[in-house]
PDB file of all heavy atoms in Angstrom:
ATOM      1  N   ALA A 243       0.878  -1.169   0.000  1.00  0.00           N
ATOM      2  CA  ALA A 243       0.000   0.000   0.000  1.00  0.00           C
ATOM      3  C   ALA A 243       0.912   1.215   0.000  1.00  0.00           C
ATOM      4  O   ALA A 243       1.816   1.322   0.837  1.00  0.00           O
ATOM      5  CB  ALA A 243      -0.894   0.000   1.228  1.00  0.00           C
ATOM      6  N   VAL A 244       0.703   2.122  -0.954  1.00  0.00           N
ATOM      7  CA  VAL A 244       1.527   3.325  -1.082  1.00  0.00           C
ATOM      8  C   VAL A 244       0.586   4.517  -1.231  1.00  0.00           C
ATOM      9  O   VAL A 244      -0.339   4.477  -2.040  1.00  0.00           O
ATOM     10  CB  VAL A 244       2.481   3.248  -2.295  1.00  0.00           C
ATOM     11  CG1 VAL A 244       3.360   4.489  -2.363  1.00  0.00           C
ATOM     12  CG2 VAL A 244       3.336   1.993  -2.241  1.00  0.00           C
ATOM     13  N   THR A 245       0.836   5.572  -0.467  1.00  0.00           N
ATOM     14  CA  THR A 245      -0.002   6.768  -0.513  1.00  0.00           C
ATOM     15  C   THR A 245       0.713   7.871  -1.280  1.00  0.00           C
ATOM     16  O   THR A 245       1.902   8.099  -1.079  1.00  0.00           O
ATOM     17  CB  THR A 245      -0.333   7.248   0.911  1.00  0.00           C
ATOM     18  OG1 THR A 245      -1.012   6.192   1.593  1.00  0.00           O
ATOM     19  CG2 THR A 245      -1.213   8.476   0.901  1.00  0.00           C
ATOM     20  N   GLY A 246      -0.017   8.543  -2.158  1.00  0.00           N
ATOM     21  CA  GLY A 246       0.565   9.636  -2.926  1.00  0.00           C
ATOM     22  C   GLY A 246      -0.499  10.400  -3.679  1.00  0.00           C
ATOM     23  O   GLY A 246      -1.702  10.235  -3.440  1.00  0.00           O
ATOM     24  N   PHE A 247      -0.064  11.234  -4.594  1.00  0.00           N
ATOM     25  CA  PHE A 247      -0.939  12.067  -5.415  1.00  0.00           C
ATOM     26  C   PHE A 247      -1.057  11.446  -6.800  1.00  0.00           C
ATOM     27  O   PHE A 247      -0.063  10.931  -7.324  1.00  0.00           O
ATOM     28  CB  PHE A 247      -0.379  13.486  -5.520  1.00  0.00           C
ATOM     29  CG  PHE A 247      -0.359  14.187  -4.198  1.00  0.00           C
ATOM     30  CD1 PHE A 247       0.731  14.078  -3.351  1.00  0.00           C
ATOM     31  CD2 PHE A 247      -1.440  14.937  -3.793  1.00  0.00           C
ATOM     32  CE1 PHE A 247       0.749  14.714  -2.125  1.00  0.00           C
ATOM     33  CE2 PHE A 247      -1.437  15.585  -2.565  1.00  0.00           C
ATOM     34  CZ  PHE A 247      -0.348  15.476  -1.730  1.00  0.00           C
ATOM     35  N   ILE A 248      -2.237  11.500  -7.396  1.00  0.00           N
ATOM     36  CA  ILE A 248      -2.415  10.837  -8.678  1.00  0.00           C
ATOM     37  C   ILE A 248      -2.538  11.814  -9.834  1.00  0.00           C
ATOM     38  O   ILE A 248      -2.997  12.941  -9.676  1.00  0.00           O
ATOM     39  CB  ILE A 248      -3.619   9.886  -8.681  1.00  0.00           C
ATOM     40  CG1 ILE A 248      -4.936  10.640  -8.665  1.00  0.00           C
ATOM     41  CG2 ILE A 248      -3.547   8.887  -7.564  1.00  0.00           C
ATOM     42  CD1 ILE A 248      -6.109   9.754  -9.027  1.00  0.00           C
ATOM     43  N   MET A 249      -2.084  11.336 -10.983  1.00  0.00           N
ATOM     44  CA  MET A 249      -2.279  12.016 -12.261  1.00  0.00           C
ATOM     45  C   MET A 249      -2.865  10.968 -13.207  1.00  0.00           C
ATOM     46  O   MET A 249      -2.176  10.010 -13.581  1.00  0.00           O
ATOM     47  CB  MET A 249      -0.963  12.540 -12.839  1.00  0.00           C
ATOM     48  CG  MET A 249      -1.165  13.196 -14.210  1.00  0.00           C
ATOM     49  SD  MET A 249       0.386  13.566 -15.064  1.00  0.00           S
ATOM     50  CE  MET A 249       1.141  14.720 -13.947  1.00  0.00           C
ATOM     51  N   PRO A 250      -4.145  11.087 -13.561  1.00  0.00           N
ATOM     52  CA  PRO A 250      -4.756  10.098 -14.450  1.00  0.00           C
ATOM     53  C   PRO A 250      -4.041  10.027 -15.801  1.00  0.00           C
ATOM     54  O   PRO A 250      -3.647  11.045 -16.364  1.00  0.00           O
ATOM     55  CB  PRO A 250      -6.186  10.613 -14.618  1.00  0.00           C
ATOM     56  CG  PRO A 250      -6.433  11.459 -13.412  1.00  0.00           C
ATOM     57  CD  PRO A 250      -5.104  12.093 -13.110  1.00  0.00           C
ATOM     58  N   LEU A 251      -3.883   8.815 -16.311  1.00  0.00           N
ATOM     59  CA  LEU A 251      -3.284   8.590 -17.629  1.00  0.00           C
ATOM     60  C   LEU A 251      -4.308   8.081 -18.632  1.00  0.00           C
ATOM     61  O   LEU A 251      -4.291   8.479 -19.786  1.00  0.00           O
ATOM     62  CB  LEU A 251      -2.144   7.579 -17.539  1.00  0.00           C
ATOM     63  CG  LEU A 251      -0.910   7.983 -16.757  1.00  0.00           C
ATOM     64  CD1 LEU A 251       0.079   6.817 -16.709  1.00  0.00           C
ATOM     65  CD2 LEU A 251      -0.261   9.208 -17.363  1.00  0.00           C
ATOM     66  N   ARG A 252      -5.170   7.162 -18.200  1.00  0.00           N
ATOM     67  CA  ARG A 252      -6.171   6.574 -19.085  1.00  0.00           C
ATOM     68  C   ARG A 252      -7.531   6.564 -18.400  1.00  0.00           C
ATOM     69  O   ARG A 252      -7.629   6.261 -17.226  1.00  0.00           O
ATOM     70  CB  ARG A 252      -5.809   5.139 -19.453  1.00  0.00           C
ATOM     71  CG  ARG A 252      -4.577   5.014 -20.286  1.00  0.00           C
ATOM     72  CD  ARG A 252      -4.405   3.561 -20.746  1.00  0.00           C
ATOM     73  NE  ARG A 252      -3.087   3.344 -21.269  1.00  0.00           N
ATOM     74  CZ  ARG A 252      -2.748   3.526 -22.540  1.00  0.00           C
ATOM     75  NH1 ARG A 252      -3.627   3.935 -23.405  1.00  0.00           N
ATOM     76  NH2 ARG A 252      -1.510   3.300 -22.939  1.00  0.00           N
ATOM     77  N   LEU A 253      -8.540   6.885 -19.185  1.00  0.00           N
ATOM     78  CA  LEU A 253      -9.909   6.810 -18.714  1.00  0.00           C
ATOM     79  C   LEU A 253     -10.694   5.894 -19.634  1.00  0.00           C
ATOM     80  O   LEU A 253     -10.451   5.854 -20.845  1.00  0.00           O
ATOM     81  CB  LEU A 253     -10.567   8.194 -18.699  1.00  0.00           C
ATOM     82  CG  LEU A 253     -10.164   9.090 -17.528  1.00  0.00           C
ATOM     83  CD1 LEU A 253      -8.893   9.836 -17.821  1.00  0.00           C
ATOM     84  CD2 LEU A 253     -11.283  10.025 -17.204  1.00  0.00           C
ATOM     85  N   LYS A 254     -11.605   5.140 -19.051  1.00  0.00           N
ATOM     86  CA  LYS A 254     -12.495   4.286 -19.824  1.00  0.00           C
ATOM     87  C   LYS A 254     -13.902   4.529 -19.303  1.00  0.00           C
ATOM     88  O   LYS A 254     -14.152   4.344 -18.104  1.00  0.00           O
ATOM     89  CB  LYS A 254     -12.108   2.814 -19.664  1.00  0.00           C
ATOM     90  CG  LYS A 254     -12.907   1.881 -20.530  1.00  0.00           C
ATOM     91  CD  LYS A 254     -12.370   0.459 -20.423  1.00  0.00           C
ATOM     92  CE  LYS A 254     -13.137  -0.461 -21.342  1.00  0.00           C
ATOM     93  NZ  LYS A 254     -12.641  -1.837 -21.248  1.00  0.00           N
ATOM     94  N   LYS A 255     -14.761   5.008 -20.176  1.00  0.00           N
ATOM     95  CA  LYS A 255     -16.139   5.350 -19.809  1.00  0.00           C
ATOM     96  C   LYS A 255     -16.172   6.340 -18.646  1.00  0.00           C
ATOM     97  O   LYS A 255     -16.961   6.229 -17.727  1.00  0.00           O
ATOM     98  CB  LYS A 255     -16.940   4.097 -19.480  1.00  0.00           C
ATOM     99  CG  LYS A 255     -17.106   3.155 -20.650  1.00  0.00           C
ATOM    100  CD  LYS A 255     -17.964   1.977 -20.309  1.00  0.00           C
ATOM    101  CE  LYS A 255     -18.065   1.068 -21.520  1.00  0.00           C
ATOM    102  NZ  LYS A 255     -18.849  -0.120 -21.256  1.00  0.00           N
ATOM    103  N   GLY A 256     -15.242   7.300 -18.668  1.00  0.00           N
ATOM    104  CA  GLY A 256     -15.200   8.342 -17.660  1.00  0.00           C
ATOM    105  C   GLY A 256     -14.553   7.958 -16.345  1.00  0.00           C
ATOM    106  O   GLY A 256     -14.524   8.755 -15.408  1.00  0.00           O
ATOM    107  N   LEU A 257     -13.992   6.747 -16.251  1.00  0.00           N
ATOM    108  CA  LEU A 257     -13.347   6.287 -15.022  1.00  0.00           C
ATOM    109  C   LEU A 257     -11.847   6.112 -15.239  1.00  0.00           C
ATOM    110  O   LEU A 257     -11.408   5.634 -16.288  1.00  0.00           O
ATOM    111  CB  LEU A 257     -13.954   4.955 -14.566  1.00  0.00           C
ATOM    112  CG  LEU A 257     -15.453   4.968 -14.250  1.00  0.00           C
ATOM    113  CD1 LEU A 257     -15.926   3.568 -13.898  1.00  0.00           C
ATOM    114  CD2 LEU A 257     -15.768   5.949 -13.130  1.00  0.00           C
ATOM    115  N   VAL A 258     -11.066   6.474 -14.237  1.00  0.00           N
ATOM    116  CA  VAL A 258      -9.607   6.339 -14.297  1.00  0.00           C
ATOM    117  C   VAL A 258      -9.248   4.860 -14.205  1.00  0.00           C
ATOM    118  O   VAL A 258      -9.616   4.189 -13.243  1.00  0.00           O
ATOM    119  CB  VAL A 258      -8.923   7.120 -13.152  1.00  0.00           C
ATOM    120  CG1 VAL A 258      -7.414   6.906 -13.180  1.00  0.00           C
ATOM    121  CG2 VAL A 258      -9.266   8.598 -13.216  1.00  0.00           C
ATOM    122  N   THR A 259      -8.547   4.358 -15.214  1.00  0.00           N
ATOM    123  CA  THR A 259      -8.125   2.962 -15.215  1.00  0.00           C
ATOM    124  C   THR A 259      -6.604   2.807 -15.127  1.00  0.00           C
ATOM    125  O   THR A 259      -6.101   1.721 -14.889  1.00  0.00           O
ATOM    126  CB  THR A 259      -8.617   2.234 -16.483  1.00  0.00           C
ATOM    127  OG1 THR A 259      -8.097   2.910 -17.630  1.00  0.00           O
ATOM    128  CG2 THR A 259     -10.129   2.198 -16.537  1.00  0.00           C
ATOM    129  N   GLU A 260      -5.890   3.911 -15.328  1.00  0.00           N
ATOM    130  CA  GLU A 260      -4.428   3.902 -15.213  1.00  0.00           C
ATOM    131  C   GLU A 260      -3.998   5.292 -14.783  1.00  0.00           C
ATOM    132  O   GLU A 260      -4.532   6.294 -15.259  1.00  0.00           O
ATOM    133  CB  GLU A 260      -3.803   3.547 -16.560  1.00  0.00           C
ATOM    134  CG  GLU A 260      -2.323   3.285 -16.499  1.00  0.00           C
ATOM    135  CD  GLU A 260      -1.786   2.716 -17.810  1.00  0.00           C
ATOM    136  OE1 GLU A 260      -2.541   2.106 -18.579  1.00  0.00           O
ATOM    137  OE2 GLU A 260      -0.580   2.918 -18.043  1.00  0.00           O
ATOM    138  N   PHE A 261      -3.027   5.350 -13.845  1.00  0.00           N
ATOM    139  CA  PHE A 261      -2.567   6.641 -13.347  1.00  0.00           C
ATOM    140  C   PHE A 261      -1.153   6.552 -12.821  1.00  0.00           C
ATOM    141  O   PHE A 261      -0.621   5.452 -12.624  1.00  0.00           O
ATOM    142  CB  PHE A 261      -3.517   7.175 -12.258  1.00  0.00           C
ATOM    143  CG  PHE A 261      -3.643   6.299 -11.034  1.00  0.00           C
ATOM    144  CD1 PHE A 261      -2.833   6.488  -9.918  1.00  0.00           C
ATOM    145  CD2 PHE A 261      -4.603   5.307 -10.977  1.00  0.00           C
ATOM    146  CE1 PHE A 261      -2.960   5.701  -8.786  1.00  0.00           C
ATOM    147  CE2 PHE A 261      -4.752   4.513  -9.850  1.00  0.00           C
ATOM    148  CZ  PHE A 261      -3.933   4.719  -8.753  1.00  0.00           C
ATOM    149  N   LEU A 262      -0.544   7.707 -12.640  1.00  0.00           N
ATOM    150  CA  LEU A 262       0.750   7.789 -11.964  1.00  0.00           C
ATOM    151  C   LEU A 262       0.484   8.191 -10.528  1.00  0.00           C
ATOM    152  O   LEU A 262      -0.310   9.093 -10.262  1.00  0.00           O
ATOM    153  CB  LEU A 262       1.656   8.821 -12.633  1.00  0.00           C
ATOM    154  CG  LEU A 262       2.089   8.519 -14.062  1.00  0.00           C
ATOM    155  CD1 LEU A 262       2.962   9.656 -14.598  1.00  0.00           C
ATOM    156  CD2 LEU A 262       2.830   7.193 -14.154  1.00  0.00           C
ATOM    157  N   LEU A 263       1.137   7.514  -9.597  1.00  0.00           N
ATOM    158  CA  LEU A 263       1.064   7.844  -8.172  1.00  0.00           C
ATOM    159  C   LEU A 263       2.389   8.503  -7.814  1.00  0.00           C
ATOM    160  O   LEU A 263       3.448   7.889  -7.942  1.00  0.00           O
ATOM    161  CB  LEU A 263       0.856   6.575  -7.338  1.00  0.00           C
ATOM    162  CG  LEU A 263       0.661   6.780  -5.846  1.00  0.00           C
ATOM    163  CD1 LEU A 263      -0.716   7.405  -5.573  1.00  0.00           C
ATOM    164  CD2 LEU A 263       0.783   5.455  -5.103  1.00  0.00           C
ATOM    165  N   PHE A 264       2.328   9.787  -7.404  1.00  0.00           N
ATOM    166  CA  PHE A 264       3.534  10.567  -7.141  1.00  0.00           C
ATOM    167  C   PHE A 264       3.817  10.696  -5.652  1.00  0.00           C
ATOM    168  O   PHE A 264       2.897  10.744  -4.833  1.00  0.00           O
ATOM    169  CB  PHE A 264       3.389  11.984  -7.709  1.00  0.00           C
ATOM    170  CG  PHE A 264       3.496  12.037  -9.204  1.00  0.00           C
ATOM    171  CD1 PHE A 264       2.366  11.937  -9.993  1.00  0.00           C
ATOM    172  CD2 PHE A 264       4.723  12.191  -9.819  1.00  0.00           C
ATOM    173  CE1 PHE A 264       2.454  11.995 -11.375  1.00  0.00           C
ATOM    174  CE2 PHE A 264       4.822  12.249 -11.191  1.00  0.00           C
ATOM    175  CZ  PHE A 264       3.680  12.145 -11.977  1.00  0.00           C
ATOM    176  N   LYS A 265       5.084  10.815  -5.351  1.00  0.00           N
ATOM    177  CA  LYS A 265       5.561  11.008  -3.984  1.00  0.00           C
ATOM    178  C   LYS A 265       4.981  12.288  -3.383  1.00  0.00           C
ATOM    179  O   LYS A 265       4.581  12.305  -2.222  1.00  0.00           O
ATOM    180  CB  LYS A 265       7.091  11.076  -4.006  1.00  0.00           C
ATOM    181  CG  LYS A 265       7.731  11.413  -2.700  1.00  0.00           C
ATOM    182  CD  LYS A 265       9.243  11.489  -2.867  1.00  0.00           C
ATOM    183  CE  LYS A 265       9.896  11.937  -1.579  1.00  0.00           C
ATOM    184  NZ  LYS A 265      11.345  11.973  -1.694  1.00  0.00           N
ATOM    185  N   ASP A 266       4.964  13.363  -4.146  1.00  0.00           N
ATOM    186  CA  ASP A 266       4.437  14.633  -3.631  1.00  0.00           C
ATOM    187  C   ASP A 266       3.747  15.399  -4.748  1.00  0.00           C
ATOM    188  O   ASP A 266       3.938  15.112  -5.921  1.00  0.00           O
ATOM    189  CB  ASP A 266       5.529  15.482  -2.978  1.00  0.00           C
ATOM    190  CG  ASP A 266       6.692  15.768  -3.896  1.00  0.00           C
ATOM    191  OD1 ASP A 266       6.464  16.157  -5.056  1.00  0.00           O
ATOM    192  OD2 ASP A 266       7.840  15.597  -3.466  1.00  0.00           O
ATOM    193  N   GLN A 267       2.928  16.358  -4.382  1.00  0.00           N
ATOM    194  CA  GLN A 267       2.156  17.072  -5.393  1.00  0.00           C
ATOM    195  C   GLN A 267       3.004  18.002  -6.237  1.00  0.00           C
ATOM    196  O   GLN A 267       2.649  18.307  -7.373  1.00  0.00           O
ATOM    197  CB  GLN A 267       0.993  17.828  -4.771  1.00  0.00           C
ATOM    198  CG  GLN A 267       1.380  19.016  -3.925  1.00  0.00           C
ATOM    199  CD  GLN A 267       0.156  19.656  -3.288  1.00  0.00           C
ATOM    200  OE1 GLN A 267      -0.785  18.976  -2.923  1.00  0.00           O
ATOM    201  NE2 GLN A 267       0.186  20.962  -3.145  1.00  0.00           N
ATOM    202  N   ALA A 268       4.146  18.448  -5.728  1.00  0.00           N
ATOM    203  CA  ALA A 268       5.015  19.309  -6.537  1.00  0.00           C
ATOM    204  C   ALA A 268       5.502  18.550  -7.765  1.00  0.00           C
ATOM    205  O   ALA A 268       5.503  19.067  -8.874  1.00  0.00           O
ATOM    206  CB  ALA A 268       6.185  19.819  -5.716  1.00  0.00           C
ATOM    207  N   ALA A 269       5.906  17.303  -7.571  1.00  0.00           N
ATOM    208  CA  ALA A 269       6.375  16.488  -8.694  1.00  0.00           C
ATOM    209  C   ALA A 269       5.221  16.134  -9.615  1.00  0.00           C
ATOM    210  O   ALA A 269       5.395  15.982 -10.816  1.00  0.00           O
ATOM    211  CB  ALA A 269       7.039  15.215  -8.178  1.00  0.00           C
ATOM    212  N   CYS A 270       4.036  16.036  -9.054  1.00  0.00           N
ATOM    213  CA  CYS A 270       2.861  15.665  -9.837  1.00  0.00           C
ATOM    214  C   CYS A 270       2.474  16.761 -10.824  1.00  0.00           C
ATOM    215  O   CYS A 270       2.261  16.501 -11.989  1.00  0.00           O
ATOM    216  CB  CYS A 270       1.693  15.376  -8.901  1.00  0.00           C
ATOM    217  SG  CYS A 270       0.128  15.071  -9.716  1.00  0.00           S
ATOM    218  N   CYS A 271       2.371  17.980 -10.345  1.00  0.00           N
ATOM    219  CA  CYS A 271       1.763  19.005 -11.191  1.00  0.00           C
ATOM    220  C   CYS A 271       2.483  20.350 -11.236  1.00  0.00           C
ATOM    221  O   CYS A 271       2.352  21.071 -12.206  1.00  0.00           O
ATOM    222  CB  CYS A 271       0.333  19.259 -10.715  1.00  0.00           C
ATOM    223  SG  CYS A 271      -0.667  17.776 -10.704  1.00  0.00           S
ATOM    224  N   PHE A 272       3.189  20.734 -10.203  1.00  0.00           N
ATOM    225  CA  PHE A 272       3.633  22.117 -10.091  1.00  0.00           C
ATOM    226  C   PHE A 272       5.146  22.332 -10.155  1.00  0.00           C
ATOM    227  O   PHE A 272       5.597  23.412 -10.467  1.00  0.00           O
ATOM    228  CB  PHE A 272       3.123  22.720  -8.780  1.00  0.00           C
ATOM    229  CG  PHE A 272       1.641  22.604  -8.626  1.00  0.00           C
ATOM    230  CD1 PHE A 272       1.095  21.761  -7.694  1.00  0.00           C
ATOM    231  CD2 PHE A 272       0.795  23.327  -9.453  1.00  0.00           C
ATOM    232  CE1 PHE A 272      -0.282  21.658  -7.556  1.00  0.00           C
ATOM    233  CE2 PHE A 272      -0.576  23.226  -9.328  1.00  0.00           C
ATOM    234  CZ  PHE A 272      -1.118  22.387  -8.373  1.00  0.00           C
ATOM    235  N   GLY A 273       5.921  21.345  -9.834  1.00  0.00           N
ATOM    236  CA  GLY A 273       7.360  21.539  -9.723  1.00  0.00           C
ATOM    237  C   GLY A 273       8.121  20.957 -10.886  1.00  0.00           C
ATOM    238  O   GLY A 273       7.573  20.708 -11.962  1.00  0.00           O
ATOM    239  N   PRO A 274       9.407  20.706 -10.674  1.00  0.00           N
ATOM    240  CA  PRO A 274      10.236  20.107 -11.726  1.00  0.00           C
ATOM    241  C   PRO A 274       9.796  18.664 -11.987  1.00  0.00           C
ATOM    242  O   PRO A 274       9.074  18.078 -11.190  1.00  0.00           O
ATOM    243  CB  PRO A 274      11.641  20.161 -11.133  1.00  0.00           C
ATOM    244  CG  PRO A 274      11.440  20.219  -9.659  1.00  0.00           C
ATOM    245  CD  PRO A 274      10.146  20.942  -9.445  1.00  0.00           C
ATOM    246  N   ALA A 275      10.246  18.120 -13.084  1.00  0.00           N
ATOM    247  CA  ALA A 275       9.896  16.745 -13.437  1.00  0.00           C
ATOM    248  C   ALA A 275      10.298  15.782 -12.328  1.00  0.00           C
ATOM    249  O   ALA A 275      11.365  15.926 -11.717  1.00  0.00           O
ATOM    250  CB  ALA A 275      10.593  16.358 -14.742  1.00  0.00           C
ATOM    251  N   ALA A 276       9.444  14.812 -12.080  1.00  0.00           N
ATOM    252  CA  ALA A 276       9.703  13.836 -11.023  1.00  0.00           C
ATOM    253  C   ALA A 276      10.855  12.915 -11.416  1.00  0.00           C
ATOM    254  O   ALA A 276      11.009  12.566 -12.590  1.00  0.00           O
ATOM    255  CB  ALA A 276       8.455  13.004 -10.776  1.00  0.00           C
ATOM    256  N   LYS A 277      11.647  12.526 -10.434  1.00  0.00           N
ATOM    257  CA  LYS A 277      12.707  11.554 -10.678  1.00  0.00           C
ATOM    258  C   LYS A 277      12.069  10.183 -10.873  1.00  0.00           C
ATOM    259  O   LYS A 277      10.946   9.932 -10.451  1.00  0.00           O
ATOM    260  CB  LYS A 277      13.677  11.537  -9.505  1.00  0.00           C
ATOM    261  CG  LYS A 277      14.475  12.807  -9.398  1.00  0.00           C
ATOM    262  CD  LYS A 277      15.545  12.683  -8.346  1.00  0.00           C
ATOM    263  CE  LYS A 277      16.359  13.959  -8.312  1.00  0.00           C
ATOM    264  NZ  LYS A 277      17.517  13.828  -7.457  1.00  0.00           N
ATOM    265  N   MET A 278      12.802   9.295 -11.510  1.00  0.00           N
ATOM    266  CA  MET A 278      12.281   7.986 -11.864  1.00  0.00           C
ATOM    267  C   MET A 278      11.752   7.208 -10.656  1.00  0.00           C
ATOM    268  O   MET A 278      10.781   6.469 -10.770  1.00  0.00           O
ATOM    269  CB  MET A 278      13.378   7.172 -12.562  1.00  0.00           C
ATOM    270  CG  MET A 278      12.898   5.868 -13.129  1.00  0.00           C
ATOM    271  SD  MET A 278      11.733   6.045 -14.485  1.00  0.00           S
ATOM    272  CE  MET A 278      12.803   6.497 -15.808  1.00  0.00           C
ATOM    273  N   ASN A 279      12.361   7.379  -9.498  1.00  0.00           N
ATOM    274  CA  ASN A 279      11.930   6.630  -8.321  1.00  0.00           C
ATOM    275  C   ASN A 279      11.019   7.452  -7.399  1.00  0.00           C
ATOM    276  O   ASN A 279      10.878   7.146  -6.226  1.00  0.00           O
ATOM    277  CB  ASN A 279      13.128   6.078  -7.547  1.00  0.00           C
ATOM    278  CG  ASN A 279      14.106   7.148  -7.124  1.00  0.00           C
ATOM    279  OD1 ASN A 279      14.089   8.271  -7.627  1.00  0.00           O
ATOM    280  ND2 ASN A 279      14.980   6.814  -6.205  1.00  0.00           N
ATOM    281  N   HIS A 280      10.382   8.481  -7.957  1.00  0.00           N
ATOM    282  CA  HIS A 280       9.452   9.310  -7.184  1.00  0.00           C
ATOM    283  C   HIS A 280       8.009   9.125  -7.650  1.00  0.00           C
ATOM    284  O   HIS A 280       7.137   9.893  -7.261  1.00  0.00           O
ATOM    285  CB  HIS A 280       9.828  10.781  -7.286  1.00  0.00           C
ATOM    286  CG  HIS A 280      11.076  11.113  -6.527  1.00  0.00           C
ATOM    287  ND1 HIS A 280      11.410  12.392  -6.187  1.00  0.00           N
ATOM    288  CD2 HIS A 280      12.073  10.341  -6.022  1.00  0.00           C
ATOM    289  CE1 HIS A 280      12.548  12.396  -5.529  1.00  0.00           C
ATOM    290  NE2 HIS A 280      12.973  11.160  -5.426  1.00  0.00           N
ATOM    291  N   TYR A 281       7.759   8.135  -8.505  1.00  0.00           N
ATOM    292  CA  TYR A 281       6.391   7.855  -8.922  1.00  0.00           C
ATOM    293  C   TYR A 281       6.250   6.380  -9.298  1.00  0.00           C
ATOM    294  O   TYR A 281       7.233   5.683  -9.546  1.00  0.00           O
ATOM    295  CB  TYR A 281       5.954   8.752 -10.089  1.00  0.00           C
ATOM    296  CG  TYR A 281       6.704   8.563 -11.380  1.00  0.00           C
ATOM    297  CD1 TYR A 281       6.240   7.691 -12.345  1.00  0.00           C
ATOM    298  CD2 TYR A 281       7.877   9.272 -11.633  1.00  0.00           C
ATOM    299  CE1 TYR A 281       6.924   7.523 -13.538  1.00  0.00           C
ATOM    300  CE2 TYR A 281       8.561   9.114 -12.823  1.00  0.00           C
ATOM    301  CZ  TYR A 281       8.076   8.237 -13.769  1.00  0.00           C
ATOM    302  OH  TYR A 281       8.763   8.075 -14.943  1.00  0.00           O
ATOM    303  N   ILE A 282       4.994   5.931  -9.310  1.00  0.00           N
ATOM    304  CA  ILE A 282       4.658   4.549  -9.654  1.00  0.00           C
ATOM    305  C   ILE A 282       3.555   4.596 -10.704  1.00  0.00           C
ATOM    306  O   ILE A 282       2.579   5.337 -10.557  1.00  0.00           O
ATOM    307  CB  ILE A 282       4.148   3.773  -8.416  1.00  0.00           C
ATOM    308  CG1 ILE A 282       5.211   3.734  -7.318  1.00  0.00           C
ATOM    309  CG2 ILE A 282       3.712   2.368  -8.807  1.00  0.00           C
ATOM    310  CD1 ILE A 282       4.687   3.192  -6.003  1.00  0.00           C
ATOM    311  N   ARG A 283       3.685   3.814 -11.728  1.00  0.00           N
ATOM    312  CA  ARG A 283       2.611   3.690 -12.726  1.00  0.00           C
ATOM    313  C   ARG A 283       1.655   2.601 -12.236  1.00  0.00           C
ATOM    314  O   ARG A 283       2.078   1.484 -11.937  1.00  0.00           O
ATOM    315  CB  ARG A 283       3.193   3.300 -14.074  1.00  0.00           C
ATOM    316  CG  ARG A 283       2.169   3.289 -15.161  1.00  0.00           C
ATOM    317  CD  ARG A 283       2.817   3.015 -16.483  1.00  0.00           C
ATOM    318  NE  ARG A 283       1.837   3.130 -17.546  1.00  0.00           N
ATOM    319  CZ  ARG A 283       2.163   3.312 -18.794  1.00  0.00           C
ATOM    320  NH1 ARG A 283       3.431   3.409 -19.150  1.00  0.00           N
ATOM    321  NH2 ARG A 283       1.229   3.392 -19.702  1.00  0.00           N
ATOM    322  N   VAL A 284       0.370   2.942 -12.154  1.00  0.00           N
ATOM    323  CA  VAL A 284      -0.635   2.032 -11.601  1.00  0.00           C
ATOM    324  C   VAL A 284      -1.673   1.708 -12.666  1.00  0.00           C
ATOM    325  O   VAL A 284      -2.201   2.602 -13.324  1.00  0.00           O
ATOM    326  CB  VAL A 284      -1.335   2.663 -10.368  1.00  0.00           C
ATOM    327  CG1 VAL A 284      -2.364   1.707  -9.790  1.00  0.00           C
ATOM    328  CG2 VAL A 284      -0.317   3.058  -9.308  1.00  0.00           C
TER     329      VAL A 284
END
């Protein structure tokens, strides 16, 4: 179980089916690009 911030990648019928789980919200949306080990593809 890992807690983080999500960025949807794929939607199917309006539902998120694939996303990136980020270590922090800065890497997710507002800051510099996330390092390879700061996110998980789900």
Side-chain angles (χ1 to χ4, degrees):
V244 182
T245 301
F247 295 88
I248 72 165
M249 177 190 298
L251 294 177
R252 294 187 194 271
L253 283 85
K254 185 174 183 180
K255 296 183 181 178
L257 300 176
V258 177
T259 58
E260 190 171 335
F261 61 92
L262 295 179
L263 184 71
F264 286 92
K265 174 182 176 178
D266 56 47
Q267 70 183 35
C270 174
C271 303
F272 305 110
K277 292 188 178 188
M278 187 66 76
N279 57 344
H280 288 197
Y281 64 93
I282 300 170
R283 186 175 185 160
V284 181

